[in-house]
Amino acid sequence: MKYEVVYPGSNAMLVVTLNKGEQIKAEAGAMVAISPNLTIEGTMDGGIGASLKRAALGGESLFFQIIKAEHGPGEVLLAPAALGDIKLLELNAGKDYFLQGGAFLAALGDIKIDTKMQKLSQGMFSGEGLFVLHTTGRGIVAASAFGAVSQINIMPGDEYIVDNGHIVAWSGDTNYQIIKAAKSWTSSFTSGEGLACRFSGPGTVWIQTRNPQAFGGWLKRYVGAGGGGGASLSRLLDMGT
Amino acid sequence: MSLANNCRLYKKSSAEPVAVIAKLENPGLFISPSGGGNDSTQWLYRDCSFDLSGYNQSRLKVSHNLSGDVLIIDDPDLIKQISCGQSELPGMEALTHKLKLRPWLELKSWLTVMSIIIGICLGGYLLVEATVNASIDHLPIAVDKQLGESAFKHFLKKYKFINDDKQLNRIRGIAEKLSAASSMPYKFDVYLAKSKEVNAFALPGGKIIVFSGLIKDAKSDDEIAGVLGHEIGHLKKRHSLRDLLHSVSLLQFCKFVFGDNHEDVQELMNLMLKIEGLKYNRDQESEADEIGINLAKKAGYDPNGLIHFFQRIQDEESNSPPAFILSHPLPKNRVVALKKKLADLEANSN
């Protein structure tokens, strides 16, 4: 299997070349183009319970797609919905990664994806949601970000503070806690930074250079709010005997 | 006791781990590369400090004070062996206590989250119902009439209306008797539409449309009175408006709680709302059935008419789909419920 991120930056795309018999797992709807001899199957990875948990709680799709090279080698192009870069994270040697909801793009190799619940305080305030994706196994995890991806290596004994809307993924050995970004609660909120995550080494954190929620807020100032769901006539008419 | 397991070693100046095997060799840990080699080392417990790290603080972080290196252990058995065997080390007692509490804290978190979710859903549902009930009486009948008019335009396009005086006078005569018994604040307009369908509709605001198929199928005025009484039941309880308010309020509540920017969650939510909406409709139908037999009885008709009507539909249906996907209760269930209601009515009148 070969893989490469092409057009790195805001329009990044993952190109995976599969040998006959190989397969990969990808986020539903991520396929851009595919060789005709590759097949796509929708799957509820881990069963309906795990899929519902992943979709409803982890911010991912209900279905994954399994792309298989059953009939011969081929190529598949994958891209996330939002503008941003793709980071390839290598899993081996008992390592594991946590991904914020929505950051999963593809898993190349023997990789298990699960949803884990964070501590209540972390889940409520970290910005990643109460549930995060946990990846284990051997292979490559492709994570998508909003904007560019920056890798922060935290040495043993060191710490690093990240604004909670900018986290993409972090290594499983890293410890983190929620803190106020500024010295006092008042200045923490008046500075516009609010809450942040303090990561303790050793480990690695990948951050995105843009905050999707902040971008959404900025966009809302220029775009009118959409209309709500209207009442349907068919429901009104469904009142027979 | 010796226990070896795969762990990760972080050198002082590295954030990238090396896979190692850690083995308990009192008074310390013997650490060797997992792929083999001579680069082994021994850490004495007295030179180490211990802390919890990683996901929900489930991993043991052993910091070697002399070298600055860090070992991360995530195997629960190895963690237990170290924490229980070295309880005299500084800070180890507190750490063991934290580890013992961890499963309980995780369970507590799950229970808290589930309770919050169930509480919000249940509370929200009750709030929606209370809001609908409180607001419906404050909405003027003009709202019903406006809704009914827009639906009636649809009927005008779809069906041909029959102006046969004999048949119209028959059903309008029954409707008038029922109207007098119903103490409704407005009059009904009864129409006869040409269709083989055995059905009738009540549009909000007072328009009742009876299909010619129903008149043909009905064996007596009592049966027609039961059906018309059922339709008046819908109007009396303002079911269309109530259903509309209920579905819109519940949809807005669900969007508020679960968000509306995730396609799969949205689809799941719509499915749940659809199933809930069908249940809501079935309850309304059952309520209209009860009002129907009450009105028929009050107006001097045999209340068994509606029961006979549903019994015949029941006999004609060979295979019934599952009740939960239907907007109306199954005829056999309606017959059972109506017989019980009628028995109660007769017991009360005696």
Side-chain angles (χ1 to χ4, degrees), chain A residues 59-62 94-96 98 117 119 130 155-156 172-175 201-203 231 235 237-241, chain B residues 8 10 12 16 53-57 59 61 72 109 154 199-201 231 243-244 262 264 277 284-285 327-328:
Chain A
E60 292 293 336
S61 301
L62 192 59
K95 285 199 284 188
D96 59 332
F98 285 91
M117 189 172 86
K119 279 200 289 188
L130 197 53
M155 308 304 166
D173 290 337
T174 319
N175 194 28
R235 188 145 187 177
L237 297 178
D238 195 19
M239 272 290 167
T241 306
Chain B
R8 290 169 301 286
Y10 290 82
K12 186 186 174 185
E16 189 60 22
S53 185
Y55 165 68
N56 279 0
Q57 299 216 303
R59 300 168 194 193
K61 179 171 146 185
I72 301 283
S109 286
H154 167 83
N199 208 350
F201 282 89
E231 299 307 333
D243 181 39
L244 214 57
H262 198 291
D264 290 319
Q284 287 189 331
E285 293 300 326
S327 61
H328 289 56

Side-chain angles (χ1 to χ4, degrees), chain B residues 302-313:
Chain B
D302 177 7
N304 284 297
L306 191 59
I307 297 172
H308 296 153
F309 177 75
F310 287 134
Q311 262 169 343
R312 211 167 41 257
I313 293 177

Side-chain angles (χ1 to χ4, degrees), chain A residues 165-177:
Chain A
H166 286 267
I167 300 162
V168 176
W170 64 98
S171 55
D173 290 337
T174 319
N175 194 28
Y176 81 88
Q177 61 183 121

Side-chain angles (χ1 to χ4, degrees), chain A residues 102-191:
Chain A
F104 175 77
L105 178 68
L108 322 179
D110 183 18
I111 289 169
K112 192 181 163 206
I113 302 157
D114 193 14
T115 312
K116 293 269 184 192
M117 189 172 86
Q118 304 193 84
K119 279 200 289 188
L120 270 182
S121 56
Q122 287 176 337
M124 297 287 186
F125 305 112
S126 64
E128 296 103 46
L130 197 53
F131 297 84
V132 287
L133 292 189
H134 185 221
T135 56
T136 50
R138 277 184 176 273
I140 299 288
V141 176
S144 59
F146 189 56
V149 182
S150 181
Q151 179 172 328
I152 297 168
N153 294 322
I154 309 168
M155 308 304 166
D158 286 351
E159 290 182 336
Y160 212 90
I161 295 166
V162 182
D163 181 280
N164 50 24
H166 286 267
I167 300 162
V168 176
W170 64 98
S171 55
D173 290 337
T174 319
N175 194 28
Y176 81 88
Q177 61 183 121
I178 309 301
I179 56 158
K180 48 187 187 298
K183 270 186 181 176
S184 70
W185 282 109
T186 315
S187 57
S188 191
F189 285 98
T190 51
S191 67

